[in-house]
């Protein structure tokens, strides 16, 4: 009925021309239609106007004929122009069919849809806002249209809609943001330009708070920084720079939600995106205050990898941000999660980049200093991470690891735990002991007191059941003791072993574990000037002890005797009558060395420089006088060392086994007992290898016998018979 009424109102020629293929005829028909609607509007006959709109919608815009659809669109625009100020009440009928035409298969129809909506928008202006989300969505799609003319028309319409929105007080940013957030993930470059354009325009409107909704589309903007189009990257960067400036000037910003986005973007593969993200994080750390405290762990996780970035600009900003973050002393009560930050630092210890590992260690050190009790809750995990890091190829990393270790070991119980962990790690990984052992031990001696470290190591090794490892470890510790400049005070203390209580106690604490290595014991005795005991140990050595490993160690010792460490010993050789046992010990070592070895020649050359002295003559002189050798005075006692050594007691039966409270006879027995364990262990290993080899041979012989028997089985009966007759 409504359609019939509309047909009655509009002349047939107008309706026919409205669907003509020629644009001019459609345009003229639209002008006539505009006049008809004006008259109806003046008369206030809105029912008839509704009938006309329905006719145009149903018979034209939804027609299968493209020209009809074009005519319907220009007709709806004409109706709106005819209605002028009264058009608002009919927009619910007019706008939807036009919007529907934006997705028409015919590009010309889409073009005329843009033209129609442009003319409608010019008439209704602010009343148009109610359809904004639908229009925005349609324009978003048209901005990437395959037809250039449609794109141009859409751009014209877009500019008009922007003008309308900026001057309108009815625009709802709250309703628009969900749509914008959804569209920000589109990758099409035209759509991206369209979106950035709208974000920039809306942000320029004073009454629209785009900053408050920035977390909703921030990730999308960052995503555009890696676009292939330079223009889009530039537009996105410009928009982000403007927002960052607004953040600096704004008293209220939601830092938390944006921090999560920035942390993710700081790990982007795109260099420009990483730089922008880390720059934002830098500003956030400066501005965020308490809001950012719960996000410190995530921020740190983003900063540490960037410290080693290949791009220098990123490295500079990351380091600056790291320094800012370290300077903030937050309280766990304020949400500062010590465990989470510690976890990030430990995770970054496995980074392939040295700079990142170093900064991670600095963070562990800071946490220990500021929140010691909270960190020690995770002690086992921390120690495991640090011990793995001792194998790091970087010396700087290893030294920092040891610094953190030392910080943990300030407490006695943790000190013991650290040394136990360390020894266990050396036991599991012998290469660590070989490559890093000296560095680790020497540094710990500086950080934690050398005597304390060596006493603890000795205590642990004394009860070590793995005899082979105990021997290797003691040899390593002994070499460090004899050579490291950091242990010079410890060596000086050991030189006082026979006259000083502290020296004696240190000597005794090391002795038990040093028994695992004959050469280590001999070195320790030479250092402590217990020369008679050294000579006794040398004379106790048996064939099993003098192997290739022993000779290698002996070679090292002979070379060490020529270093400044043993200068006192060489000077004592100037008084052979006073240091008989030193001479005997050195000659004993000489007798153990192969004559063609370099060490033999070095020691023999040294001993040749000793003033001539006869052991036999001195023995006769002492026996005839009846005076103990220790009571002889040489040159006023001014030459050589002023320290008495156990050899000075000579053959006095009452003092031979004891000196300064050291029961050397007992110590000798201890050495023999431990070496006996080593001999038994060595024999056991040899037998095991022999049994293993023999078993393999027995199995092989048995298999060969079986094969031989199988081959001979057919002749076995006659053979047995022959034997029976014999």
């Amino acid at each position: 009925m409504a359609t019939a009424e509309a047909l009655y109102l509009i002349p047939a020629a107008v309706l026919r021309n409205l669907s003509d293929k020629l644009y001019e005829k459609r345009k003229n028909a639209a002008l006539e239609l505009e006049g008809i609607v004006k008259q109806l509007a003046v008369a206030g006959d809105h029912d008839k106007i509704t009938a006309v709109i329905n006719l145009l919608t149903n018979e034209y815009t939804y027609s299968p004929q493209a020209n009809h659809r074009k005519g319907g669109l220009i007709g709806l625009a004409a109706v709106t122009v005819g209605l002028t100020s009264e058009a608002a009440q009919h927009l619910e009928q007019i706008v939807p069919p036009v919007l529907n035409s934006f997705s028409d298969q015919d590009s010309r129809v889409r073009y005329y849809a843009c033209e129609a909506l442009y003319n409608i928008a010019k008439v209704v202006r602010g009343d148009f806002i109610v359809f904004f989300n639908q229009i925005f969505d349609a324009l978003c799609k048209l901005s990437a249209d395959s037809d250039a003319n449609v794109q141009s028309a859409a751009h014209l319409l877009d500019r008009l809609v922007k003008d309308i929105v900026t001057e309108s007080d009815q625009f709802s940013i709250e309703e628009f943001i969900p749509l914008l957030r959804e569209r920000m993930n589109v990758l099409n470059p035209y759509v991206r330009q369209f979106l950035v354009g709208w974000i920039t325009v809306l942000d320029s409107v004073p009454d629209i708070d785009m900053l408050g909704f920035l977390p909703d589309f921030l990730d999308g903007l960052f995503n555009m920084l890696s676009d292939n189009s330079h223009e889009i990257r530039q537009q996105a960067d410009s928009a982000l720079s403007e927002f960052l400036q607004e953040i600096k000037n704004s008293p209220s910003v939601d830092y938390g939600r944006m921090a999560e986005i920035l942390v993710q973007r700081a790990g982007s593969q795109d260099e420009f995106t990483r730089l922008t993200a880390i720059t934002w994080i830098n500003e956030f750390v400066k501005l965020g205050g308490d809001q950012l405290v719960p996000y410190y762990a995530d921020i740190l996780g983003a900063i540490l990898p960037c410290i080693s970035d290949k791009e220098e600009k990123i490295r500079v900003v990351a380091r600056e941000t790291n320094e800012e973050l370290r300077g903030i002393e937050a309280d766990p009560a304020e949400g500062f999660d010590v465990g989470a930050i510690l976890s990030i630092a430990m995770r970054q210890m496995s980074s392939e980049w040295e700079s990142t590992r170093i900064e991670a260690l600095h963070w562990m050190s800071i946490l220990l200093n500021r929140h010691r009790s909270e960190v020690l809750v995770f002690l086992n995990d921390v120690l495991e991470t640090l011990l793995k890091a001792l194998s790091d190829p970087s010396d700087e990393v290893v030294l920092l690891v040891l610094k953190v270790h030392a910080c943990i070991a300030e407490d006695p119980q943790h000190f013991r735990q650290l040394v136990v962990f360390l020894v266990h790690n050396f036991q599991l990984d012998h290469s660590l002991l070989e490559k890093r052992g000296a560095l680790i031990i020497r540094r710990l001696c500086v950080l934690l007191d050398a005597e304390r470290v060596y006493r603890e190591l000795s205590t642990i090794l004394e009860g070590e059941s793995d005899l082979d490892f105990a021997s290797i470890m003691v040899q390593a510790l002994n070499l460090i003791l004899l050579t490291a400049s950091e242990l010079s005070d410890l060596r000086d203390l050991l030189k006082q072993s026979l006259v000083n209580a502290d020296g004696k106690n240190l000597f005794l604490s090391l002795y038990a574990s040093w028994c695992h290595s004959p050469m280590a014991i001999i070195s320790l005795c030479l250092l402590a000037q217990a020369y008679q005991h050294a000579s006794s140990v040398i004379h106790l050595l048996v064939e099993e002890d003098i192997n290739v490993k022993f000779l290698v160690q002996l070679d090292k010792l002979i070379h060490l005797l020529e270093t400044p460490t043993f200068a006192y010993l060489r000077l004592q050789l100037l008084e052979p009558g006073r240091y008989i046992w030193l001479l005997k010990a050195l000659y004993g070592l000489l007798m153990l060395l192969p004559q063609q070895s370099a060490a033999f020649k070095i020691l023999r050359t040294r001993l040749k420089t000793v003033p001539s002295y006869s052991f036999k003559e001195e023995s006769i002189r002492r026996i005839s006088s009846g005076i103990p050798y220790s009571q002889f005075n040489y040159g006023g006692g001014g030459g050589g060392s002023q320290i008495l050594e156990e050899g000075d007691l000579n053959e006095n039966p009452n003092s031979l086994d004891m000196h300064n409270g050291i029961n050397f006879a007992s110590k000798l027995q201890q050495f023999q007992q431990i070496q006996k364990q080593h001999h038994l262990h060595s024999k056991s290993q040899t037998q095991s290898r022999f049994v293993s080899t023999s078993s393999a041979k027995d199995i092989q012989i048995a298999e060969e016998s079986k094969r031989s028997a199988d081959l001979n089985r057919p002749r076995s009966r006659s053979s047995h018979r022959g034997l029976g007759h014999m």
Side-chain angles (χ1 to χ4, degrees):
M1 187 70 180
T3 302
E5 187 178 3
L7 289 171
Y8 172 75
L9 292 170
I10 304 171
V14 172
L15 292 172
R16 185 170 58 253
N17 288 337
L18 202 59
S19 60
D20 197 275
K21 64 180 180 178
L22 295 175
Y23 173 73
E24 285 301 322
K25 287 187 177 182
R26 294 198 302 274
K27 183 180 177 181
N28 290 331
L31 289 171
E32 291 186 44
L33 184 59
E34 179 186 329
I36 295 169
V37 172
K38 276 184 181 178
Q39 293 174 0
L40 292 172
V42 171
D45 200 345
H46 286 280
D47 288 340
K48 289 181 179 178
I49 293 172
T50 299
V52 171
I53 294 171
N54 286 337
L55 171 68
L56 292 171
T57 300
N58 297 324
E59 300 298 325
Y60 285 84
T61 59
Y62 292 141
S63 169
Q65 301 296 321
N67 289 329
H68 278 67
R69 297 197 296 276
K70 295 172 188 175
L73 289 166
I74 199 171
L76 288 172
V79 168
T80 306
V81 174
L83 285 168
T84 59
S85 61
E86 297 182 47
Q89 60 185 301
H90 293 283
L91 286 178
E92 289 286 349
Q93 294 172 275
I94 294 171
V95 174
V98 178
L99 291 174
N100 183 66
S101 299
F102 281 150
S103 57
D104 198 284
Q105 293 182 350
D106 191 318
S107 63
R108 297 305 296 166
V109 173
R110 296 197 300 276
Y111 174 85
Y112 287 117
C114 291
E115 183 184 74
L117 196 58
Y118 182 90
N119 291 324
I120 293 167
K122 277 175 59 176
V123 173
V124 298
R125 304 296 291 186
D127 295 326
F128 187 67
I129 296 298
V130 68
F131 297 100
F132 176 77
N133 275 16
Q134 293 144 280
I135 294 168
F136 178 87
D137 197 33
L139 285 172
C140 187
K141 294 170 183 174
L142 287 177
S143 64
D145 199 279
S146 57
D147 189 281
N149 291 325
V150 175
Q151 279 192 21
S152 298
H155 289 157
L156 285 171
L157 175 60
D158 181 50
R159 281 201 290 271
L160 176 61
V161 175
K162 283 174 181 171
D163 290 341
I164 293 170
V165 168
T166 54
E167 67 187 25
S168 172
D169 58 358
Q170 300 176 34
F171 178 73
S172 173
I173 185 67
E174 290 83 2
E175 293 179 8
F176 169 63
I177 287 298
L179 176 62
L180 176 63
R181 182 173 60 239
E182 181 184 338
R183 288 287 174 266
M184 290 299 287
N185 294 321
V186 176
L187 300 178
N188 187 284
Y190 297 108
V191 175
R192 283 183 161 182
Q193 279 186 306
F194 170 80
L195 293 170
V196 175
W198 266 101
I199 290 170
T200 305
V201 166
L202 292 175
D203 187 46
S204 68
V205 180
D207 295 333
I208 298 177
D209 180 23
M210 283 296 280
L211 184 59
F213 294 95
L214 181 56
D216 290 288
F217 56 87
L218 180 64
D219 190 57
L221 280 175
F222 266 93
N223 204 25
M224 293 179 190
L225 292 175
S226 58
D227 196 278
N228 292 328
S229 166
H230 175 72
E231 187 177 354
I232 293 172
R233 292 199 303 272
Q234 201 169 35
Q235 288 177 354
D237 181 48
S238 178
L240 285 167
S241 298
E242 184 62 33
F243 278 120
L244 186 57
Q245 192 58 46
E246 289 177 32
I247 288 170
K248 292 178 183 179
N249 300 326
S250 175
S252 176
V253 178
D254 183 1
Y255 289 102
R257 282 181 62 198
M258 289 190 283
E260 294 176 1
I261 295 167
L262 296 174
V263 164
Q264 293 296 321
R265 289 297 169 182
S268 170
Q269 294 295 315
D270 179 69
E271 186 179 293
F272 186 46
T273 303
R274 288 199 309 278
L275 177 59
T276 308
I278 206 72
T279 303
W280 274 61
I281 290 173
N282 180 269
E283 294 296 338
F284 274 30
V285 170
K286 295 174 183 175
L287 302 168
D290 295 342
Q291 273 196 59
L292 277 182
V293 171
Y295 301 94
Y296 277 177
D298 293 334
I299 290 173
L300 182 63
I303 292 170
L304 289 179
C306 288
I307 284 173
S308 304
D309 200 279
K310 61 184 179 181
E311 175 56 44
E312 185 181 0
K313 291 179 182 177
I314 296 174
R315 292 199 302 272
V316 170
V317 179
R319 286 192 176 280
E320 181 186 329
T321 310
N322 188 50
E323 291 300 321
E324 289 281 347
L325 200 60
R326 280 205 305 224
I328 302 170
E329 295 192 25
D331 194 317
E334 299 171 355
F336 183 75
D337 192 340
V338 176
I341 292 179
L342 183 64
S343 177
I344 291 291
M346 289 193 294
R347 191 184 313 152
Q348 292 299 328
M349 284 300 299
S350 60
S351 168
E352 62 179 306
W353 306 110
E354 179 184 349
S355 299
T356 295
R357 299 196 299 274
I358 287 171
E359 290 305 320
L361 283 165
H362 281 309
W363 268 100
M364 293 175 76
S365 182
I366 287 171
L367 291 175
L368 269 167
N369 290 328
R370 294 179 185 172
H371 309 283
R372 185 177 183 84
S373 58
E374 288 88 346
V375 172
L376 292 181
V377 171
F378 307 96
L379 183 59
N380 285 340
D381 292 335
V382 172
L383 284 177
E384 185 178 349
T385 302
L386 292 174
L387 287 170
K388 286 180 182 176
L390 290 174
S391 302
D392 197 280
S394 163
D395 283 352
E396 187 176 355
V397 170
V398 173
L399 291 174
L400 277 171
V401 168
L402 294 170
K403 182 181 177 182
V404 179
H405 268 309
C407 188
I408 294 170
E410 287 175 5
D411 301 329
Q413 71 272 27
H414 295 139
F415 173 77
R416 167 84 180 169
Q417 189 175 358
L418 162 63
V419 181
V420 169
F421 262 83
L422 190 60
V423 171
H424 181 63
N425 227 40
F426 283 144
Q427 188 172 9
L428 293 177
D429 184 6
H430 284 197
S431 64
L432 175 64
L433 180 59
E434 292 172 13
K435 297 175 183 177
R436 283 278 189 266
L439 177 66
I440 293 168
I441 300 299
R442 290 171 64 176
R443 191 60 186 165
L444 282 180
C445 285
V446 171
L447 296 168
L448 294 172
D449 178 63
E451 183 177 351
R452 186 184 178 200
V453 171
Y454 260 72
R455 281 177 177 272
E456 193 63 49
L457 285 167
S458 181
T459 302
I460 293 167
L461 291 171
E462 184 180 346
E464 177 58 54
S465 58
D466 185 345
L467 297 178
D468 291 334
F469 168 69
S471 179
I472 293 170
M473 187 73 191
V474 165
Q475 290 163 24
L477 291 174
N478 183 63
L479 186 61
I480 296 166
L481 175 63
L482 297 177
T483 58
S485 58
E486 298 88 343
L487 274 68
S488 60
D489 291 343
L490 202 62
R491 291 194 293 271
D492 289 341
L493 186 58
L494 281 169
K495 290 173 188 176
Q496 306 286 326
S497 296
L498 301 185
V499 294
N500 179 290
D502 292 337
K504 177 196 75 173
N505 291 334
L506 177 58
F507 176 81
L508 293 175
S509 70
L510 298 183
Y511 191 94
S513 59
W514 257 239
C515 284
H516 284 295
S517 168
M519 192 47 61
I521 276 290
I522 294 168
S523 303
L524 182 66
C525 291
L526 292 178
L527 198 58
Q529 305 190 70
Y531 301 135
Q532 182 176 359
H533 192 66
S535 180
S536 299
V537 169
I538 292 169
H539 281 83
L540 282 176
L541 296 177
V542 296
E543 182 181 345
E544 296 171 66
D545 298 313
I546 306 169
N547 50 34
V548 174
K549 291 181 181 179
F550 174 87
L551 292 173
V552 169
Q553 294 167 49
L554 179 53
D555 184 276
K556 289 180 181 178
L557 176 60
I558 300 306
H559 283 84
L560 285 171
L561 291 176
E562 297 298 315
T563 64
T565 298
F566 285 101
Y568 69 93
L569 182 147
R570 298 196 299 276
L571 289 171
Q572 288 170 351
L573 291 174
L574 293 173
E575 300 182 85
R578 186 177 181 190
Y579 295 99
I580 301 171
W581 291 109
L582 170 58
L583 274 174
K584 286 188 175 181
L586 293 179
Y587 271 110
L589 294 177
L590 185 68
M591 295 305 126
L592 297 177
L593 285 165
Q595 292 189 45
Q596 299 305 314
S597 65
F600 178 88
K601 294 171 183 175
I602 291 170
L603 183 55
R604 184 178 62 177
T605 302
R606 173 62 63 187
L607 290 172
K608 280 181 178 179
T609 64
V610 176
S612 59
Y613 175 78
S614 170
F615 290 107
K616 183 177 179 181
E617 289 176 5
E618 184 59 37
S619 178
I620 293 170
R621 189 159 66 96
R622 286 163 55 193
I623 292 170
S624 62
S625 65
I627 301 172
Y629 185 79
S630 58
Q631 296 178 21
F632 280 98
N633 185 7
Y634 290 89
S641 172
Q642 296 299 311
I643 300 168
L644 293 176
E645 51 110 357
E646 60 165 311
D648 289 346
L649 299 175
N650 295 304
E651 306 297 335
N652 187 338
N654 297 320
S655 59
L656 181 61
D657 295 333
M658 294 287 294
H659 189 59
N660 193 27
I662 302 176
N663 187 337
F664 282 105
S666 172
K667 293 292 124 187
L668 204 58
Q669 288 178 358
Q670 186 178 18
F671 171 73
Q672 287 179 292
Q673 288 171 358
I674 293 177
Q675 283 303 302
K676 185 177 180 181
Q677 292 176 20
H678 277 271
H679 296 158
L680 291 172
H681 174 66
S682 179
K683 285 179 181 178
S684 174
Q685 285 187 319
T686 304
Q687 288 174 356
S688 296
R689 286 194 294 268
F690 177 76
V691 169
S692 175
T693 307
S694 299
S695 297
K697 287 182 178 178
D698 289 344
I699 292 169
Q700 185 179 356
I701 291 169
E703 288 177 350
E704 289 177 358
S705 298
K706 185 178 179 183
R707 284 196 296 271
S708 178
D710 290 341
L711 290 170
N712 293 329
R713 190 166 292 148
R715 298 192 300 271
S716 61
R717 184 174 298 173
S718 59
S719 299
H720 279 281
R721 187 179 298 119
L723 287 169
H725 284 295
M726 289 174 64

